[in-house]
Amino acid sequence: MKPILLWSDGLVFLLVIALVLFFYKLREDPQTRTRWAQVFSSKLGMVAFTVIMTYVGIALLDSLHFRRALDAPEGMQTNEVFYDNKVTSVFDVLTGGMGERFERTYSAPFALISFEKKNTVDEQGNSVRDFPPLKYAGLDLADPGDKWSDILSKSMAPLGWGLLLSGLLIGVQWLFLRRGLFPWHASWVTQAIVICTAVWLVSISKHYHVLGTDKGGADVLFQSLKGIRTGVLLGTLATLVMLPIAVTLGVTAGYFKGWVDDVVQYLYTTLSSIPGILLIAASVLLFQVYIDLNPDFFSIGMEKADARFVALCFILGVTSWSTLCRLIRAETLKISQLGYVQAAHAFGVSHTRILSRHILPNLVHIILITFVLDFSALVLAEAVLSYIGVGIDPSMGSWGNMINGARAELSREPAIWWTLSGAFFFMFVIVLAANLFSDLVRDAFDPRTRLGGDDA
């Protein structure tokens, strides 16, 4: 086994470390702790946060990549180790080979036969056109009519193991958190559902294709799960690229005013006047030309796809900072006129100290709210960009690529609906959880919302 570190892998782990340090630093502020306590004091906040952390955990497991060692060719004696060109992740291993069971073409969820007919030869040697049986579905099933009873019987043991595993995990948490003030039971119920579902899916997928297969015979459930890493990383990395640009320019424009404010306003007004989709599409196509002209920079195909993915994150971040910059500029203009800031100027306090002690701490609520809101918006943006053909490389798991491939499938008769449904469900869950969590963050951190609640 040879570990592989892609650019996106390194970025995601640096991101996790940075976020942990950021939130650890925020804990030193009593007011910030109180506001986060308000977010997690509701059952909805705990459930939404648990769902988001589940997606993040899958993304981290899918970011641990390696290449398997191959057996030496027969008759060749050498100490050199050969590795497979296919890049595998820890998540691929944990799914029990779900992505390695390919059929010939389309098959419906839990189906035993292919969705399309094929010329076959019967027992008498006659050529007939019929629906061939699937290679990896219902292999130990004697009578096709017993399919659902077989699924039920094969579900009992995985669900039992899922309950046992969730019980052990929740029991450990209960020992340390039972005296906490937060509604942990809401998170524990969600964890139990997630663990039982995960164990059941891994087990039952060895006998059936839960969400069917696509045109190339690949398992749709596995593709939907692989899209989680793409969605989570794109939404997070693009937002973190955008935040420093927006915060720096917005604070600079609002604090120093004058010609600095004029330049910043000119920049974001010009950027806002260019259609976003066209700007992003042109940038992605330019980078694709660079990749095509420099193939020697990438040893395996996965590195090409990863480079395009990182470039797309950077492009989305660079082209989407104007709205937040406007908000921060306006807020900085207001804060810079307050009495304590004017008093600091009168006492000769330096600009750097005023910005770090008086301006930036009062902008944290805007930054946090925007981070959570833009995350879900960028997840949806990836789906739109892949739909028009300028998004993620087709070799990478992506909900947008699945939706793009499902365009022609819905016009068939009968329609092939499961590819679109799989991508839509997993994207809907993360966007819904992020939006619900962002509402709670806004209610806790936005001063106007808190003042309105106190007046009521």
Side-chain angles (χ1 to χ4, degrees):
M1 184 180 72
K2 180 181 180 181
I4 297 293
L5 183 65
L6 302 175
W7 279 101
S8 59
D9 298 340
L11 289 174
V12 69
F13 288 109
L14 287 175
L15 168 65
V16 171
I17 295 173
L19 288 178
V20 170
L21 293 176
F22 173 73
F23 283 108
Y24 180 79
K25 195 71 176 177
L26 286 180
R27 291 180 68 243
E28 298 178 358
D29 183 7
Q31 189 177 17
T32 302
R33 289 203 305 268
T34 303
R35 293 175 181 177
W36 277 115
Q38 180 182 339
V39 173
F40 291 106
S41 62
S42 67
K43 296 178 182 178
L44 182 60
M46 295 299 294
V47 171
F49 183 74
T50 303
V51 172
I52 293 173
M53 285 297 100
T54 300
Y55 275 71
V56 172
I58 293 175
L60 291 177
L61 290 174
D62 206 13
S63 298
L64 296 171
H65 291 106
F66 62 91
R67 294 167 62 186
R68 300 179 188 271
L70 299 175
D71 296 331
E74 186 176 354
M76 179 178 180
Q77 295 183 355
T78 178
N79 293 327
E80 184 178 359
V81 180
F82 298 94
Y83 296 97
D84 191 356
N85 284 330
K86 180 182 177 182
V87 178
T88 307
S89 70
V90 173
F91 178 75
D92 297 340
V93 177
L94 293 178
T95 54
M98 188 187 301
E100 300 175 0
R101 292 185 280 271
F102 288 88
E103 303 293 348
R104 188 179 68 88
T105 184
Y106 296 112
S107 65
F110 291 105
L112 299 175
I113 58 175
S114 177
F115 195 74
E116 294 183 346
K117 290 185 178 181
K118 177 186 177 182
N119 292 326
T120 58
V121 179
D122 60 13
E123 297 178 354
Q124 288 76 29
N126 300 320
S127 178
V128 296
R129 185 168 179 80
D130 199 0
F131 299 101
L134 299 178
K135 293 167 57 179
Y136 300 101
L139 296 181
D140 54 351
L141 190 62
D143 184 6
D146 298 333
K147 179 179 69 173
W148 295 110
S149 59
D150 182 63
I151 293 174
L152 182 62
S153 64
K154 285 183 169 61
S155 300
M156 294 296 103
L159 290 176
W161 282 108
L163 288 173
L164 178 61
L165 181 60
S166 59
L168 292 174
L169 180 61
I170 293 171
V172 173
Q173 297 177 51
W174 180 82
L175 292 175
F176 294 97
L177 304 172
R178 64 182 184 275
R179 297 179 181 177
L181 301 177
F182 302 132
W184 290 105
H185 59 278
S187 175
W188 293 336
V189 171
T190 307
Q191 291 178 44
I193 294 174
V194 169
I195 293 172
C196 290
T197 303
V199 174
W200 178 78
L201 287 175
V202 172
S203 177
I204 204 68
S205 65
K206 297 178 181 179
H207 307 282
Y208 298 93
H209 297 286
V210 178
L211 289 180
T213 56
D214 63 4
K215 185 176 182 179
D219 191 274
V220 173
L221 174 62
F222 182 75
Q223 289 183 312
S224 301
L225 293 172
K226 293 290 284 185
I228 291 177
R229 175 183 183 270
T230 302
V232 170
L233 293 192
L234 187 84
T236 307
L237 293 177
T239 304
L240 290 179
V241 170
M242 174 264 292
L243 284 177
I245 302 173
V247 172
T248 302
L249 293 179
V251 170
T252 303
Y255 182 77
F256 291 105
K257 307 178 186 66
W259 67 269
V260 177
D261 189 18
D262 293 337
V263 171
V264 172
Q265 287 191 70
Y266 177 79
L267 287 175
Y268 68 61
T269 302
T270 303
L271 182 63
S272 300
S273 66
I274 304 173
I277 293 295
L278 293 180
L279 181 61
I280 294 170
S283 303
V284 171
L285 292 175
L286 285 174
F287 188 78
Q288 185 62 46
V289 171
Y290 172 81
I291 292 176
D292 295 338
L293 293 178
N294 298 274
D296 296 336
F297 291 171
F298 311 98
S299 59
I300 55 177
M302 186 67 178
E303 292 183 351
K304 289 185 179 181
D306 187 70
R308 177 171 172 174
F309 171 70
V310 173
L312 180 61
C313 294
F314 180 79
I315 292 167
L316 283 173
V318 169
T319 57
S320 59
W321 56 267
S322 58
T323 302
L324 178 60
C325 184
R326 282 196 186 97
L327 292 174
I328 291 181
R329 171 186 171 273
E331 191 72 12
T332 304
L333 281 171
K334 182 182 72 174
I335 295 172
S336 63
Q337 302 302 317
L338 296 179
Y340 60 88
V341 178
Q342 296 297 324
H345 282 297
F347 281 106
V349 180
S350 65
H351 295 306
T352 304
R353 190 167 182 81
I354 291 175
L355 288 172
S356 61
R357 294 294 300 272
H358 300 304
I359 304 296
L360 287 175
N362 288 288
L363 298 174
V364 170
H365 69 280
I366 294 179
I367 296 172
L368 287 175
I369 294 168
T370 303
F371 178 85
V372 184
L373 284 174
D374 282 2
F375 171 82
S376 58
L378 289 167
V379 170
L380 295 174
E382 181 274 323
V384 174
L385 292 172
S386 297
Y387 180 78
I388 63 176
V390 294
I392 305 300
D393 190 274
S395 62
M396 291 186 70
S398 162
W399 296 322
N401 286 333
M402 293 178 66
I403 295 172
N404 183 35
R407 285 188 296 179
E409 297 173 355
L410 293 175
S411 62
R412 294 174 51 127
E413 181 58 38
I416 299 175
W417 50 268
W418 46 88
T419 304
L420 178 63
S421 300
F424 172 79
F425 173 78
F426 285 95
M427 184 167 57
F428 170 78
V429 171
I430 182 61
V431 171
L432 177 63
N435 283 338
L436 292 174
F437 192 72
S438 67
D439 288 341
L440 296 172
V441 172
R442 182 191 60 200
D443 294 341
F445 282 86
D446 192 343
R448 290 169 298 180
T449 305
R450 297 201 311 275
L451 289 174
D454 295 339
D455 294 340

